[in-house]
Amino acid sequence: MEAKKYVYFFGGGKAEGSAVMKELLGGKGANLAEMTNLGIPVPPGFTISTEVCDIYYKQNRKYPEELEKQVADNLKKLEELMGKQLGDPKAPLLVSVRSGAAVSMPGMMDTVLNLGTNDSSVKGLEVMTGNEWFAWDAYRRFIQMFGDVVMGVEHDEFEKILSSQKNKRGIKLDTELDIDDLKQIVADYKKLYKTHTGEDFPQDPKKQLWKSINAVFGSWNNERAIKYREINDIKGLLGTAVNVQTMVFGNVGNDSGTGVCFTRDPSTGDNRFYGEYLINAQGEDVVAGIRTPESLEDMKQEMPDKYEQLNKIRDKLERHYRDMQDMEFTIERDTLYILQTRTGKRTAHAAVKIAVDMEKEGLIDHKTAVMRVEPNQLNQLLHPMIDPDEDVEVIASGLPASPGAAVGEIVFTADKAEEEAAKGKEVILVRIETSPDDIGGMNAAEGILTARGGMTSHAAVVARGMGKCCVAGCSDVHILNESECEIGGIHFSTGDYITLNGTSGEVIKGQVKLIEPEPTGDFAKLMEWADEARRLKVRTNADTPADAENARKLGAEGIGLCRTEHMFFEGNRIDSVREMILAEDEEGRRKALHKLLPMQQEDFEGIFKAMDGLPVTIRLLDPPLHEFLPQDVDEIEELAESIGVSTKRLTKKVESLREFNPMLGHRGCRLGITYPEIYEMQVEAIFLAACSVKKTGVKVLPEVMIPLTGTFKEMALLHELTRRTAEDVMKKQKGKVPYLIGTMIEIPRAALIADKIAEFAEFFSYGTNDLTQMTFGYSRDDAGVFLPEYLKKGILEKDPFQVLDQEGVGQLIDISIQRGRKTKKDLKIGICGEHGGEPSSVEFCHRLGMNYVSCSPFRVPIARLAAAQAAITQSK
Amino acid sequence: MEAKKYVYFFGGGKAEGSAVMKELLGGKGANLAEMTNLGIPVPPGFTISTEVCDIYYKQNRKYPEELEKQVADNLKKLEELMGKQLGDPKAPLLVSVRSGAAVSMPGMMDTVLNLGTNDSSVKGLEVMTGNEWFAWDAYRRFIQMFGDVVMGVEHDEFEKILSSQKNKRGIKLDTELDIDDLKQIVADYKKLYKTHTGEDFPQDPKKQLWKSINAVFGSWNNERAIKYREINDIKGLLGTAVNVQTMVFGNVGNDSGTGVCFTRDPSTGDNRFYGEYLINAQGEDVVAGIRTPESLEDMKQEMPDKYEQLNKIRDKLERHYRDMQDMEFTIERDTLYILQTRTGKRTAHAAVKIAVDMEKEGLIDHKTAVMRVEPNQLNQLLHPMIDPDEDVEVIASGLPASPGAAVGEIVFTADKAEEEAAKGKEVILVRIETSPDDIGGMNAAEGILTARGGMTSHAAVVARGMGKCCVAGCSDVHILNESECEIGGIHFSTGDYITLNGTSGEVIKGQVKLIEPEPTGDFAKLMEWADEARRLKVRTNADTPADAENARKLGAEGIGLCRTEHMFFEGNRIDSVREMILAEDEEGRRKALHKLLPMQQEDFEGIFKAMDGLPVTIRLLDPPLHEFLPQDVDEIEELAESIGVSTKRLTKKVESLREFNPMLGHRGCRLGITYPEIYEMQVEAIFLAACSVKKTGVKVLPEVMIPLTGTFKEMALLHELTRRTAEDVMKKQKGKVPYLIGTMIEIPRAALIADKIAEFAEFFSYGTNDLTQMTFGYSRDDAGVFLPEYLKKGILEKDPFQVLDQEGVGQLIDISIQRGRKTKKDLKIGICGEHGGEPSSVEFCHRLGMNYVSCSPFRVPIARLAAAQAAITQSK
């Protein structure tokens, strides 16, 4: 019986492995084999399979019997191919020993370089390279790395010896050390090694090799690697492979060099060869930035042959992998080696261009192109961003409440913002927090900065709706008066410039150059392909005709959430709203509501027109009534005077409405139950508007949504109220529009009794913001105190308000979809929380069989792309 | 083939039905049959089965063919037995037509009395009774009832005629009408009938009968009956039966009468015949209170034969039903009829005595005795109550925050309460709301009344723990200054008397007589039998040794919830707590915690000693830290001065800790994660205490409980922290106590991932208060605004904070028990929310296989009884 194969050779133009053997050879090993087979000049070597790692642990850290011989055979083969031998005093072979699992775990496991150096081979290295300094430096580095990584001698102890030698000589850089210094350091390193390990530094390269192999396999189960796998949910792997590979050196003369290159421009996506290189240097020199690398254009002049060879390899690799590659190369004495190739990182702009170009070039199909762009990257294409080449002075950080960037002069009041904007100035509105009164100023400003409030604060929600940059809850902002503030300890007055980065939450001093978004033809093309592929509909959350139109341009296929309360704040409507709240009885409330009716009707008419032919989901009043009343003593006095009510009475009303936990208070459909006249007015306005625009030829598809349902009877009663009111209006108007009545599912209990709720609901829309709050017991406005620590400590992997918690909240969604559809097979189901525009959450919604997702206008393209990727992934 | 039987006769000493035929004959019909078979003199009649109702609706309101003949045959049989005939001008038979389903639905369906009266039989009635007035009044009543119930003529229209006749004559009472009046009214009624129905009032008694039968069957599906069944979850019934029964009259002379009696005293439980009767009267006269009824003792004198006969029936019925009976009887011309018998309502005291007595008498066994007392009734036996014979002036109502009653002089400060109590006075502490500073005064007072705060406010929670009467959140209390207040608009000063009813929430003016509880020997006996039967353990929620001892006396088998935060408030500990909160860093916090350690240790020692041999579940710190800081400007200034911190800094800290939704904020184990040193100190104190008391021979069984867990990692981290700290302490103390580490399940997400949480939990304890809040999205402190309306409108059947919502919250409990036990088969499971002492919730806990329930000390006996009843019910 033939012995099982544990070791796979690569080199000399062919390899025993290939790219498909990732599970067995790890990503790195499989890739090296693949490149070798392609005829790419890769430094030869061999890979010990992941199976060995598995057996090693299963057998309590013993290798399979056959391994020793197989390693020896492959080493011999390698030595023969290279014409060098490990430890040879004339032509020594140096190898690296590296880990490499099927899934990349960067920096988690061990690596040993320069293996094979010892007291005699260091001389051979000297002879071979003609560079004594290089030889001794390589030896020094090897002892340090071996001692640290393999034997556990503290890294610091080596550094102490190095520093002390430099101090002795009064120098600062390693490169200033002379050969005698290096020899002294090698001697001291060896002493340190012996003190700590109780044995001499091993001179036998075979011993060096096996100890290193042990160390790499051992590092598979070190603490940080285990933790990394846990956090990243990496499961089912056999272990790591070990790659033993010939070392090549780019720093052994002017016929040598090293570099990094991309098969296309990673910044613009242009199909041009792009990269940097350094003559007579090692890879780390490029990274360390001690010398400034030259461009590949220079290489074309300086090493035309090598450039030509590299350029051909570029073609070969890109054609083979059908994606833009990021390659590392080294030239050792005029011989080019490719050390690594991998898919290159790129900007959003480049990602779109490369995907579309490659499709044109016939390299990939539509679906593959769609999969090539990370949906969240699109943010960069839709909002202005700070020029990455600018030096910026970040003076404070807040919540990234609404993405994009904005530059402007500081103003402190909404009035001032409008005033200055009218003069053509660009302004940033800085407030402790914003209120409905500030809407005009917010609209006039380029961006908004608040000292208080969370991701769902007034400023944040309104800014996202407007697609306007906003940094919220920045506690380093202290407003001193109406013309001065301190930000991060720096004093600012009205008219001083600041810049906001709403994508990162940073506040930057002064004026910074912005890059404007350019949704190019490539972008449109990619979105077209995405739309071909996806099954989920994408709607938008929009409260105004302007938002609705904007979202429609970005591809929205309807409104998934139109919040009627924002309409209550506009202009002088708030007066009627307050009159209603302060009314003593139903009659008084109805009188005030009657004034609101035509205004609400007008709102809905505008939105219906903007969404002609598309469904519009309108949520009935949701927030607690106290949100419509002032809370400060001064404001209460002012209001009391303006509406002719005693301050005492108004104060009493404000106090009686105050709540300990407004999130769990008298809001949502609870208002509709206790004050049915409010919902009646809203439904009346919806259907008056629908009948009216229908007469002008607009196609109207209203979907009336009851918020915060938690019991069967709430839904039954309010379904009846809505249906009755709608039918009455349509009868009187002699009109007929198709409509649906449904509910938000945002209370855990509603999810649990979804089968019953579905009896009276034609659609469900998941309000995942509230559902997350209640399922976790987190108030979004308060969780900021502990959430960062929860993320840092790994208690939560992701902020559940940004990325839907599939494990907990997801269960409630899953259960309720099943139960809801059991009652009503064709129940329409969507999501309208903030998660509707987050790619992994969109994928989850797709998987659960929802009909649509709804998100803020500027996330519509992101959701479209994510939905397409979900469909493509599932079909595979 | 014989025709199917639809009609069942009863009368003449035997019946075709019996008590077991409830489904077919309805409760009333089966009972009438049963009594007839027992030889009890019941007015004869027949029952049309519920099957007919079912067929009637299934056949679109058509009766089965055979019915007409069966009714005719039975009517003939009845007429023969009675020697009278329907409509007979000399000896007319009068019958009632009544509904009666298998489950009682009082007042929901239709009834027709005096059927058979018409223009000629009214004369027969006159002849038969020798009472013309009676005859015409019966006729008048019949037309009115038949018109209203059967034909849908508005009740008001009849009343108008009646009133107009009385006005005409200048009289007020119906009894003042003379015979001519009655005849005029009958004439007017007939006119009204014709106007509304378009036909003459039917003179044919058969027609009257069939129309009435139709009406009764029709009322099964009237709106209110459907609603009643919906609300009371009555399902699976065939329909109602219809009972046609001979009318008997107690108002036809001095040889007639009517009465109500109980087989034992329903107030004391004494085995004596108890009741009231009236000579020459109808049943409604007893109820209306126009004449004062006489006692049965009088009947013994006045109608000795009838009394003797009745007394024998009493014996027979009680022996037959083996329970105290509530009987209605009528004597018509010296003939005794029993109209109804049913299980009699009784006071708690009577319930216990009757159950124990009947067991002694050999009528029932232990289990039956246990089933005979409604657990909630025990409240009356454990707390003082207001003497029901007292006239009280209720001046305001608040929340029934802690049961019992209390009388005392008003005081407005805790200090004054202690001062006056020390002088031997009984005082009631009246506060806007209480704070931890008031503990001493609360303890000294007889009862507590607050103007603000809910069922979980400080006053409510502490009072329940103390078993002290409390009315909370009474908005009609306005405190004017430190010696005056207004309650319900009435002015009170210090020293004025008020009385509180903590069971109803009423505030009563002045001094009212209270009845002290007497847990008699019968009570102890019944609890002994309950303990024999139950499987669930009953623990208590107790935070002090005194509470613990008290609960133990009431039968608690351990502590299910010991809240450590209440200890933080005691005495000057709050200073150290505040020092900890204000500390700048961990070191500062540890310093302050170090001061708290010996105090906490002392607390735990006291509780461990009190619970020697029983498990004690200690919950680590739960409330948000701001609860320990003052919130008012004045108090902040005072505290700042006393601890030597600037007011500005303290204000800043207070503000930084303020939360929008504290219920969903930084509390529970979130504190343990961000400030592990707090939990470490608490665990250290627990195990120092455990080791210390163990040395004195006390058996300690601590169970450390992590609150508000929502994720797997919180549990994993805090389990490890607890285990490590506990082991450290025990190692240092050279002690070893068995202990468990577990968690509250009170966040919906925790319930959903219970399988994972169970990996690191040895027990689950359901915090159903918070679980209810989050599952419903109701803040208990705020829901008071809409909950009453929700209950009134039937949106919720019960207040979910009082009675566990099995439909929604219950699902989460069910799911998580299954999942938790899947991971850990012997997972210990209990409940420690307020529901732990509510009978239907206890039954639910039993059914789900929990190990224990835990409730406030004074509810322990209630929980024991409820647990026993659950076990007995399940075993059936």
Side-chain angles (χ1 to χ4, degrees), chain A residues 247-267:
Chain A
M247 297 282 304
V248 292
F249 298 98
N251 56 347
V252 290
N254 284 336
D255 54 354
S256 303
T258 192
V260 174
C261 56
F262 293 85
T263 57
R264 302 191 184 207
D265 187 326
S267 176

Side-chain angles (χ1 to χ4, degrees), chain A residues 230 658-666 669-670 673-674 711 713-714 717 747-749 752-753 756 773-779 781-782 785-786 789-790 793-796 805 807-808 811-812 815 819, chain B residues 230-231 658-666 669-670 673-674 711 713-714 717 747-749 752-753 756 773-779 781-782 785-786 789-790 793-796 805 807-808 811-812 819:
Chain A
E230 224 176 77
R658 199 163 280 161
E659 295 185 306
F660 291 98
N661 296 286
M663 179 55 52
L664 308 175
H666 193 196
C669 73
R670 297 163 199 172
I673 295 285
T674 49
T711 65
K713 292 229 174 123
E714 284 167 333
L717 284 176
I747 298 262
R749 193 175 191 279
L752 293 164
I753 59 159
K756 291 199 181 167
Q773 295 197 92
M774 293 178 205
T775 306
F776 272 91
Y778 293 166
S779 157
D781 288 321
D782 302 310
V785 177
F786 58 87
E789 194 154 351
Y790 266 46
K793 288 193 172 160
I795 291 173
L796 295 170
D805 164 51
E807 188 187 16
Q811 272 195 57
L812 285 178
I815 290 172
R819 293 186 182 173
Chain B
E230 226 175 75
I231 289 173
R658 199 163 282 160
E659 296 184 307
F660 291 100
N661 296 286
M663 180 55 51
L664 308 174
H666 192 196
C669 74
R670 297 162 199 172
I673 295 286
T674 49
T711 66
K713 292 226 174 125
E714 285 168 332
L717 284 175
I747 299 260
R749 193 176 190 277
L752 293 165
I753 61 159
K756 292 199 181 168
Q773 294 197 90
M774 293 180 205
T775 305
F776 272 92
Y778 293 167
S779 157
D781 289 321
D782 302 310
V785 177
F786 57 87
E789 193 154 352
Y790 266 46
K793 288 190 173 161
I795 291 171
L796 295 170
D805 164 51
E807 186 186 18
Q811 271 196 57
L812 285 177
R819 294 187 182 174

Side-chain angles (χ1 to χ4, degrees), chain B residues 98-129:
Chain B
R98 289 179 214 253
S99 62
V103 176
S104 170
M105 297 167 55
M108 292 301 121
M109 291 182 292
D110 291 342
T111 291
V112 178
L113 302 178
N114 294 354
L115 190 141
T117 2
N118 61 18
D119 292 349
S120 56
S121 70
V122 68
K123 307 231 167 64
L125 207 53
E126 193 184 319
V127 172
M128 218 167 66
T129 62

Side-chain angles (χ1 to χ4, degrees), chain B residues 422-715:
Chain B
K423 291 183 200 158
K425 283 198 180 161
E426 297 188 332
V427 297
I428 302 285
L429 179 61
V430 180
R431 302 280 288 159
I432 293 179
E433 52 198 339
T434 62
S435 80
D437 293 340
D438 297 331
I439 296 257
M442 292 170 78
N443 196 32
E446 297 297 306
I448 297 127
L449 170 63
T450 67
R452 269 197 235 142
M455 292 292 287
T456 47
S457 62
H458 179 263
V461 171
V462 172
R464 279 198 295 275
M466 292 176 172
K468 200 170 287 276
C469 165
C470 174
V471 173
C474 180
S475 56
D476 283 338
V477 170
H478 296 282
I479 294 185
L480 307 170
N481 52 50
E482 281 208 0
S483 64
E484 288 172 297
C485 71
E486 270 181 25
I487 306 176
I490 301 172
H491 185 274
F492 290 88
S493 303
T494 303
D496 289 345
Y497 272 97
I498 53 169
T499 301
L500 302 180
N501 184 344
T503 311
S504 69
E506 289 167 340
V507 182
I508 293 153
K509 194 179 162 189
Q511 248 176 314
V512 170
K513 193 179 155 208
L514 303 188
I515 302 174
E516 284 305 312
E518 304 174 59
T520 60
D522 286 341
F523 174 78
K525 182 56 78 183
L526 189 81
M527 293 315 293
E528 193 187 307
W529 297 341
D531 290 347
E532 280 169 15
R534 76 187 153 92
R535 196 211 62 216
L536 267 181
K537 294 268 178 194
V538 176
R539 298 193 187 183
T540 190
N541 302 347
D543 309 339
T544 65
D547 285 357
E549 269 163 36
N550 197 0
R552 198 168 182 165
K553 278 183 209 147
L554 292 166
E557 296 164 295
I559 290 181
L561 175 62
C562 172
R563 285 163 289 223
T564 52
E565 57 268 20
H566 290 170
M567 303 173 183
F568 276 32
F569 283 115
E570 251 176 58
N572 54 1
R573 300 172 183 198
I574 190 75
D575 297 344
S576 303
V577 174
R578 286 167 172 175
E579 185 186 327
M580 174 196 74
I581 295 171
L582 293 167
E584 295 287 351
D585 53 18
E586 190 184 322
E587 201 192 341
R589 281 192 296 275
R590 284 199 185 273
K591 214 178 112 196
L593 286 165
H594 194 69
K595 292 185 201 165
L596 281 169
L597 177 65
M599 307 188 220
Q600 284 251 296
Q601 182 183 339
E602 206 187 312
D603 293 328
F604 294 136
E605 285 176 4
I607 287 173
F608 287 149
K609 278 182 205 157
M611 297 308 276
D612 184 5
L614 297 176
V616 175
T617 306
I618 297 166
R619 180 177 70 181
L620 301 182
L621 192 69
D622 182 58
L625 295 183
H626 52 73
E627 285 198 7
F628 299 100
L629 293 182
Q631 302 295 324
D632 286 0
V633 179
D634 292 350
E635 286 175 313
I636 290 174
E637 266 177 27
E638 197 181 312
L639 175 64
E641 198 168 321
S642 87
I643 59 173
V645 160
S646 79
T647 307
K648 197 177 155 193
R649 197 181 128 211
L650 184 56
T651 306
K652 209 173 150 190
K653 187 74 192 182
V654 169
E655 279 193 356
S656 77
L657 287 176
R658 199 163 282 160
E659 296 184 307
F660 291 100
N661 296 286
M663 180 55 51
L664 308 174
H666 192 196
R667 66 183 196 96
C669 74
R670 297 162 199 172
L671 292 170
I673 295 286
T674 49
Y675 307 117
E677 55 275 11
I678 300 180
Y679 277 19
E680 277 167 21
M681 180 281 283
Q682 293 196 297
V683 175
E684 198 181 339
I686 291 168
F687 286 89
L688 281 173
C691 290
S692 148
V693 300
K694 197 193 168 189
K695 284 172 195 159
T696 69
V698 172
K699 193 175 169 203
V700 206
L701 298 162
E703 303 185 347
V704 181
M705 182 155 75
I706 314 292
L708 217 70
T709 308
T711 66
F712 167 72
K713 292 226 174 125
E714 285 168 332
M715 193 62 214

